[in-house]
């Protein structure tokens, strides 16, 4: 039993004529053609051909999903910034704001669409820090654990606001916190937000973590050892 999820069936169910003027489409007037796909799990068939057909008709595809389906959502969406994913429905509701912001830019014609020619990479490195005055940081700050996954997901999908035109952002995120013995606990930079969140969870009982001059110096030193051509946040 159970529901069998078939992306190809649903996507090809949108008749091609629905995206042309005869059916009311204003594509010839440069009105954005937008499809939002809500994905509740892994597809049971090959959806890539179907979604490629829509993209070739200049339909902009947004992908929203819950669960461990990052790769599938990326294949569905027209751009990396058009993906919203979370582990639970509750977390997803917080990420939808990101999609709405991108959608608003799309409708207003402000979205920087990826160029067809070979783009250059814009490297962005983001270091996340925090301070908690208790040994068990999640007991002292219950929202820290529940919110951190959403925060890391949103940072990793950062739009190209810090990049020049024609560049695609390559975002890596790390975490650094200073413990009470003034020893930095740092988690390596990565482009995988899920792995970083799992590593962050291991810091549960390593508090308290402090924010002071040494913490700021540790942030500076951490960036010094990174690549010079990256934008550092």
């Amino acid at each position: 039993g159970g529901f069998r999820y078939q992306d190809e069936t649903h996507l090809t169910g949108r008749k091609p004529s629905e995206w042309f003027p005869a059916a009311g489409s204003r594509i010839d007037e440069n009105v954005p053609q937008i499809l939002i796909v809500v994905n509740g799990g892994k597809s049971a068939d090959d959806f890539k051909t179907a979604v490629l057909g829509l993209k070739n008709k200049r339909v902009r595809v947004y992908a929203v999903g819950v669960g461990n389906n990052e790769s599938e959502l990326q294949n569905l969406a027209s751009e990396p910034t058009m993906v919203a994913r979370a582990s639970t429905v509750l977390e997803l509701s917080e990420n939808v704001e990101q999609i709405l912001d991108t959608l608003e830019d799309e409708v207003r014609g402000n979205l920087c669409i990826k160029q067809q020619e070979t783009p250059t990479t814009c490297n962005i490195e983001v270091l996340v820090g925090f301070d908690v005055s208790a040994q068990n940081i999640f007991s002292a700050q219950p929202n820290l654990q529940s919110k951190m996954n959403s925060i890391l997901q949103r940072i990793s999908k950062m739009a190209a606001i810090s990049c020049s035109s024609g560049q695609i952002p390559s975002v890596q995120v790390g975490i650094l916190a200073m413990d009470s013995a003034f020893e930095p606990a740092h988690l390596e930079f990565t482009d995988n937000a899920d792995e970083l969140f799992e590593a962050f969870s291991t810091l549960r009982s390593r508090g308290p973590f402090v924010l002071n001059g040494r913490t700021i110096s540790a942030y500076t030193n951490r960036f010094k050892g990174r690549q010079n051509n990256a934008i550092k946040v």
Side-chain angles (χ1 to χ4, degrees):
F3 180 75
R4 183 176 176 83
Y5 178 68
Q6 293 181 294
D7 266 332
E8 183 179 18
T9 301
H10 289 84
L11 292 172
T12 54
R14 302 293 89 202
K15 298 177 182 178
S17 59
E18 293 181 6
W19 302 101
F20 289 97
S25 170
R26 291 180 290 166
I27 191 170
D28 291 343
E29 301 173 32
N30 294 321
V31 175
Q33 308 295 292
I34 297 170
L35 174 66
I36 299 178
V37 179
V38 180
N39 183 313
K42 292 187 179 298
S43 176
D45 57 15
D46 181 13
F47 63 88
K48 293 182 181 179
T49 301
V51 77
L52 181 60
L54 291 175
K55 292 176 182 178
N56 287 339
K57 295 181 179 69
R58 291 189 289 165
V59 177
R60 304 285 286 164
V61 182
Y62 287 74
V64 180
V66 176
N68 186 23
N69 54 352
E70 175 75 13
S71 176
E72 184 157 309
L73 293 174
Q74 291 290 350
N75 286 324
L76 279 168
S78 297
E79 303 287 338
T81 54
M82 295 179 174
V83 173
R85 186 192 69 82
S87 300
T88 66
V89 174
L90 181 61
E91 291 179 6
L92 182 63
S93 65
E94 299 169 357
N95 289 351
V96 167
E97 181 182 348
Q98 172 191 351
I99 284 286
L100 294 178
D101 289 342
T102 307
L103 181 58
E104 181 180 5
D105 286 340
E106 178 100 36
V107 173
R108 293 177 181 272
N110 298 327
L111 187 65
C112 182
I113 300 174
K114 182 170 60 178
Q115 302 297 315
Q116 295 301 315
E117 64 269 13
T118 302
T120 58
T121 300
C122 170
N123 297 312
I124 303 174
E125 295 184 340
V126 181
L127 192 58
V128 178
F130 58 90
D131 65 299
V132 180
S133 58
Q135 181 176 2
N136 190 313
I137 62 176
F138 299 147
S139 294
Q141 296 287 343
N143 289 332
L144 184 61
Q145 185 175 21
S146 62
K147 300 291 186 183
M148 184 61 80
N149 190 29
S150 296
I151 291 171
L152 296 177
Q153 291 290 344
R154 293 194 67 172
I155 293 175
S156 65
K157 301 296 185 300
M158 185 184 301
I161 56 175
S162 298
C163 299
S164 300
S165 176
Q167 291 185 316
I168 295 178
S170 173
V171 182
Q172 290 206 328
V173 189
I175 294 178
L176 188 150
M178 184 72 72
D179 66 21
S180 57
F182 302 113
E183 291 293 332
H186 60 82
L187 304 178
E188 292 297 332
F189 284 89
T190 178
D191 58 3
N192 190 317
D194 291 327
E195 289 183 0
L196 185 59
F197 178 70
E198 289 182 10
F200 165 74
S201 298
T202 65
L203 301 178
R204 173 186 299 274
S205 300
R206 292 188 56 183
F209 293 103
V210 298
L211 177 62
N212 54 27
R214 294 190 183 185
T215 312
I216 303 302
S217 295
Y219 294 155
T220 303
N221 292 333
R222 188 75 184 92
F223 277 131
K224 283 182 179 179
R226 302 295 298 174
Q227 51 188 331
N228 293 327
N229 64 339
I231 298 167
K232 299 176 174 62
V233 181

